[in-house]
């Protein structure tokens, strides 16, 4: 029926749109952040246009923390509600799966991962945190995303860089830099508008 065809056509056009984006001089977001800039334990991919996914499997070998942590970071710079970052941390020995979604600009936060800690003699459990900073705007977006280890002592919080034995493994950043996404997101908006206009004219044609 005509309706099914129109749905098929829309799907087909969306698929073509994705192809065009990849064929054209579409700047890969992974290239934007620089393949040499991300740790060797990570890979960058773009399963969807205008969004990038970093997947890491990082072994930590310290007397106080000997474990392998999986980390998936999804960056959506062109999110209409503002650039956002989502993170998922996994660890197999303790069945840990800790998701954080929709962290937006102007946030700097350490999120303790429940059940994950280093044990340091004389200090005790030092919790492993997801450390995130998102700031700035699309023309200059600062992203720092990684893992740190911190402990609250009586009057202050002390993090790994001041704890001998942990200072050489933490903080560990998957992303740490300032990136320009303005033109890419402008492109995304134009594509979106064109696709919408096309769909509207198609639906009028059907009537």
């Amino acid at each position: 029926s005509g309706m099914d065809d129109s749905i098929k056509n829309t799907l087909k056009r969306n698929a073509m749109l994705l192809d065009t984006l990849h064929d054209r001089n579409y700047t890969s977001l992974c290239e934007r952040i620089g393949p040499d800039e991300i740790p060797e334990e990570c890979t960058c991919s773009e399963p969807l246009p205008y969004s990038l996914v970093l997947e890491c499997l990082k072994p930590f070998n310290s007397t106080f923390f000997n474990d392998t942590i999986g980390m998936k970071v999804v960056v959506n710079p062109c999110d209409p509600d503002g650039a956002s970052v989502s993170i998922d941390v996994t660890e197999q020995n303790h069945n840990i799966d800790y998701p954080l979604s929709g962290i937006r600009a102007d946030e700097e936060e350490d999120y303790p991962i429940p059940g994950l800690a280093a044990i340091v003699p004389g200090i005790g459990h030092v919790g492993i945190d997801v450390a995130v900073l998102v700031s700035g705007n699309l023309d200059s977006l600062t992203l720092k995303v990684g893992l740190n280890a911190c402990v609250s002592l009586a009057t202050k919080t002390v993090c790994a860089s001041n704890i001998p034995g942990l200072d050489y493994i933490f903080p560990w950043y998957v992303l740490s830099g300032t990136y320009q996404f303005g033109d890419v997101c402008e492109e995304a908006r134009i594509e979106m508008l064109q696709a919408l206009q096309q769909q509207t004219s198609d639906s009028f044609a059907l009537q």
Side-chain angles (χ1 to χ4, degrees):
S1 74
M3 202 53 203
D4 286 350
D5 287 348
S6 82
I7 293 172
K8 275 193 201 121
N9 288 339
T10 305
L11 291 174
K12 195 189 292 176
R13 194 172 43 251
N14 287 353
M16 277 162 58
L17 181 63
L18 289 184
D19 286 346
T20 348
L21 289 181
H22 288 300
D23 293 345
R24 243 192 6 201
N25 56 0
Y26 167 66
T27 332
S28 137
L29 293 186
C30 289
E31 283 167 28
R32 283 291 162 109
I33 60 167
D36 309 337
E37 299 293 311
I38 61 172
E40 58 183 13
E41 298 89 353
C42 302
T43 57
C44 183
S45 64
E46 297 175 65
L48 295 167
Y50 308 116
S51 165
L52 66 87
V53 178
L54 292 161
E55 293 183 271
C56 312
L57 200 57
K58 169 71 175 167
F60 290 97
N61 301 315
S62 150
T63 327
F64 307 141
F65 188 70
N66 194 336
D67 205 342
T68 298
I69 306 292
M71 196 164 183
K72 180 178 178 178
V73 179
V74 180
V75 182
N76 284 312
C78 307
D79 185 324
D81 297 327
S84 70
V85 175
S86 298
I87 300 159
D88 193 11
V89 177
T90 53
E91 188 272 0
Q92 298 213 313
N93 300 337
H94 304 93
N95 293 322
I96 289 169
D97 184 349
Y98 181 58
L100 290 167
S101 63
I103 299 165
R104 296 189 191 284
D106 300 323
E107 280 194 49
E108 180 169 14
E109 196 67 64
D110 283 354
Y111 299 91
I113 303 166
L116 204 54
I119 298 173
V120 180
I123 297 179
H125 283 69
V126 178
I128 310 297
D129 296 345
V130 176
V132 190
L133 163 69
V134 182
S135 75
N137 59 33
L138 287 177
D139 293 320
S140 174
L141 189 67
T142 299
L143 297 174
K144 283 184 88 166
V145 181
L147 296 171
N148 203 353
C150 300
V151 64
S152 297
L153 298 175
T155 51
K156 57 179 181 175
T157 299
V158 176
C159 291
S161 47
N162 293 309
I163 303 173
L166 287 181
D167 54 355
Y168 66 95
I169 59 169
F170 291 119
W172 177 75
Y173 287 107
V174 173
L175 274 177
S176 180
T178 299
Y179 311 100
Q180 282 77 39
F181 293 121
D183 55 331
V184 176
C185 295
E186 191 55 35
E187 201 176 278
R189 280 202 291 273
I190 293 167
E191 295 289 353
M192 222 24 164
L193 190 61
Q194 287 172 342
L196 283 170
Q197 287 169 341
Q198 183 64 48
Q199 281 172 4
T200 317
S201 64
D202 281 4
S203 59
F204 280 125
L206 281 170
Q207 287 170 5

